[in-house]
Amino acid sequence: MTKYYLKNILLNNLSQGLQFGSRWILTIVLLKVLSIQMFAVFSFVFSISNFLVSVLPFGSSVYLINKAEDSKNGIKELAVSIEIIFFIFTAIMSFYGVYFLISPHFENASLIPLGILLSLIFSLNTVVFSFLKGVGNFTFELKIYSIFSILIFLLASELYFVGQIPVFLLFLLLILINGLMLVFAFKYSIILKDNDIFQFKNYTLTSFKEGCANRFFFGLQEIVTASYAQGGMLILFYVINKATYGEYRALLILTAPFALVNVAVSQVLLAQLKKTPTNRIGATFKWLHWPFSALLAGVLCIVYYFGEVIVKLITDLEYTETVHQSFICVLVIIFISFVYSGYEMLLVVIDKQKHRFVIMLLGAITNIASIIILLPKCGTLGAISTNLLSNLAVFIGIVFLSEWFLSKVK
């Protein structure tokens, strides 16, 4: 392992840790101060944001890390990515406006636009910092999100000591805080200043089509991934009662700290592998990825041993047999998703994005099928099992195909 790789792993983990960690703590506080039904509503609308953050950039986050080898080329691709985000955002908001005119009294009608707007800010932040990572600047994001974490911690403290606030106001505050991070990025990044992004702006349908064509399988893969990772959560909100949905989302809170590790490690892994000669990619991948996988397995064993304490402390749920079984499913999901996240980046580097997309499509189909089969009869355990089955489908497909392709490279 190179010192450069370990340094970037550390920087990216610290940055992602501040982002996800502060959001995670805020979510835990919301779980404690909101009723389980209101927490379910917040989680549902927030899932809309998380789903759309995979749709609006149309695969630009991974594309930028993979393509932005120098700042000049990267800034042009960043400009195109921003154009794509605004085009798709406008289309979604227009569709929502028409739907609202037709049926203005559907559930959470006033909150959904805020979820969509928050996804816009999330998406812009994502592509900007993906560009910076693509050119090797991991430090700047850490500085910006140090400020972000302080603001989120202040919001969480306010909620914990003062009490709940309307969900509508909560989303407005999240939009403001995340918007400030975007402003700071453009104001203080030397790379963005030295490379004027606005010289590449070209808001035309032709530019949009060309940008989407270059990102075609990246974008489809991100949408399909979101369909089984977040789409199922959106469907479940209307399939099971709000109390069960709240318990289901409460248990998934446990995955958040590990999800940030997935993102941080896979992003740096991609940046490292794209610099590796083709005939050494397989050996380098295994040398970098599997030690972290083994370390995670050990950590999860410790987490399982203290399972009851952790579940009660974080979620306030009664540790019943159903919750115990659901907790085991959550731990399995954490491990297999970490393993296949690394293999995803491997497929990107060896230019097998099309195969990556097909596997994610299989995961999405598995998720929808499991929802139909397992729900609404099986409650919280059934809801968790839909995630487990879709993750298993993706895990098996990606690992098998990746190892097969690696055997051909040797």
Side-chain angles (χ1 to χ4, degrees):
M1 296 184 186
T2 65
K3 291 183 179 179
Y4 178 77
Y5 177 77
L6 291 176
K7 176 187 175 183
N8 285 342
I9 282 282
L10 176 61
L11 290 174
N12 208 30
N13 268 290
L14 285 174
S15 176
Q16 298 296 326
L18 289 173
Q19 294 177 59
F20 285 89
S22 54
R23 290 172 183 165
W24 185 60
I25 290 174
L26 175 62
T27 305
I28 293 174
V29 171
L30 289 172
L31 179 59
K32 294 180 181 297
V33 301
L34 298 177
S35 66
I36 196 69
Q37 289 79 12
M38 288 306 299
F39 179 76
V41 172
F42 168 81
S43 299
F44 168 70
V45 178
F46 199 73
S47 284
I48 293 175
S49 299
N50 287 332
F51 175 79
L52 291 180
V53 80
S54 297
V55 175
L56 297 181
F58 200 67
S60 292
S61 55
V62 176
Y63 181 84
L64 283 170
I65 295 176
N66 193 40
K67 295 293 184 180
E69 297 178 357
D70 61 84
S71 59
K72 288 186 178 180
N73 176 64
I75 205 73
K76 181 179 180 180
E77 294 294 349
L78 175 59
V80 174
S81 300
I82 292 174
E83 291 175 15
I84 291 173
I85 288 171
F86 276 106
F87 266 107
I88 299 178
F89 170 77
T90 302
I92 291 173
M93 286 300 290
S94 299
F95 175 81
Y96 177 81
V98 172
Y99 185 81
F100 181 77
L101 290 174
I102 297 172
S103 179
H105 302 297
F106 64 91
E107 192 173 8
N108 302 310
S110 62
L111 292 176
I112 290 176
L114 293 180
I116 299 174
L117 182 57
L118 182 59
S119 73
L120 171 65
I121 307 301
F122 280 164
S123 299
L124 292 172
N125 278 331
T126 297
V127 297
V128 167
F129 288 109
S130 292
F131 157 71
L132 293 173
K133 290 172 185 175
V135 296
N137 188 354
F138 288 87
T139 306
F140 183 71
E141 183 183 32
L142 176 59
K143 294 177 180 178
I144 293 294
Y145 278 101
S146 296
I147 301 172
F148 171 84
S149 64
I150 293 172
L151 294 175
I152 292 294
F153 283 136
L154 289 174
L155 175 58
S157 300
E158 174 73 13
L159 291 169
Y160 185 79
F161 291 108
V162 177
Q164 67 180 23
I165 61 175
V167 175
F168 186 88
L169 177 58
L170 178 60
F171 274 100
L172 287 178
L173 290 172
L174 290 175
I175 290 169
L176 175 62
I177 292 172
N178 284 276
L180 282 175
M181 300 309 103
L182 185 63
V183 172
F184 290 161
F186 278 98
K187 184 175 178 60
Y188 296 110
S189 171
I190 297 175
I191 295 177
L192 289 173
K193 282 182 179 179
D194 290 344
N195 298 271
D196 185 8
I197 190 173
F198 297 105
Q199 66 179 304
F200 295 106
K201 64 179 180 179
N202 181 22
Y203 291 95
T204 64
L205 188 58
T206 300
S207 176
F208 171 72
K209 288 180 178 179
E210 290 178 355
C212 289
N214 292 334
R215 296 158 175 75
F216 185 70
F217 282 109
F218 288 92
L220 289 183
Q221 190 277 331
E222 289 292 336
I223 292 172
V224 169
T225 300
S227 296
Y228 88 82
Q230 296 293 334
M233 296 181 188
L234 299 178
I235 296 172
L236 286 172
F237 183 78
Y238 294 102
V239 174
I240 56 182
N241 63 65
K242 287 186 176 59
T244 302
Y245 185 82
E247 292 177 359
Y248 160 68
R249 294 305 300 267
L251 281 169
L252 287 184
I253 289 175
L254 301 171
T255 67
F258 300 96
L260 74 90
V261 176
N262 285 11
V263 173
V265 173
S266 62
Q267 286 178 341
V268 178
L269 182 63
L270 174 59
Q272 186 74 15
L273 288 177
K274 71 180 185 181
K275 302 174 184 177
T276 304
T278 303
N279 64 337
R280 296 185 57 193
I281 285 178
T284 302
F285 169 77
K286 292 177 181 179
W287 177 245
L288 295 175
H289 189 55
W290 281 111
F292 285 99
S293 299
L295 178 62
L296 176 62
V299 171
L300 292 177
C301 289
I302 297 173
V303 172
Y304 173 76
Y305 182 79
F306 294 100
E308 183 173 359
V309 175
I310 292 172
V311 169
K312 288 183 177 179
L313 178 65
I314 294 176
T315 69
D316 284 340
L317 295 178
E318 188 67 29
Y319 200 71
T320 62
E321 182 61 27
T322 297
V323 171
H324 173 69
Q325 293 173 0
S326 299
F327 179 65
I328 294 174
C329 290
V330 167
L331 296 182
V332 175
I333 290 170
I334 290 169
F335 180 73
I336 63 178
S337 63
F338 177 83
V339 174
Y340 78 64
S341 292
Y343 275 98
E344 278 189 84
M345 299 303 100
L346 177 62
L347 288 177
V348 171
V349 171
I350 61 178
D351 198 25
K352 300 298 179 182
Q353 181 63 31
K354 181 178 179 180
H355 297 81
R356 180 181 175 222
F357 161 70
V358 172
I359 294 170
M360 290 301 170
L361 180 59
L362 173 64
I365 294 172
T366 303
N367 185 252
I368 294 172
S370 61
I371 289 174
I372 295 172
I373 295 170
L374 296 175
L375 296 172
K377 297 179 181 179
C378 300
T380 304
L381 179 58
I384 293 291
S385 297
T386 63
N387 290 65
L388 177 59
L389 290 173
S390 57
N391 275 278
L392 275 173
V394 172
F395 171 78
I396 293 171
I398 282 187
V399 172
F400 175 80
L401 270 180
S402 299
E403 290 294 341
W404 187 79
F405 283 128
L406 283 180
S407 68
K408 300 295 182 181
V409 173
K410 294 178 182 179

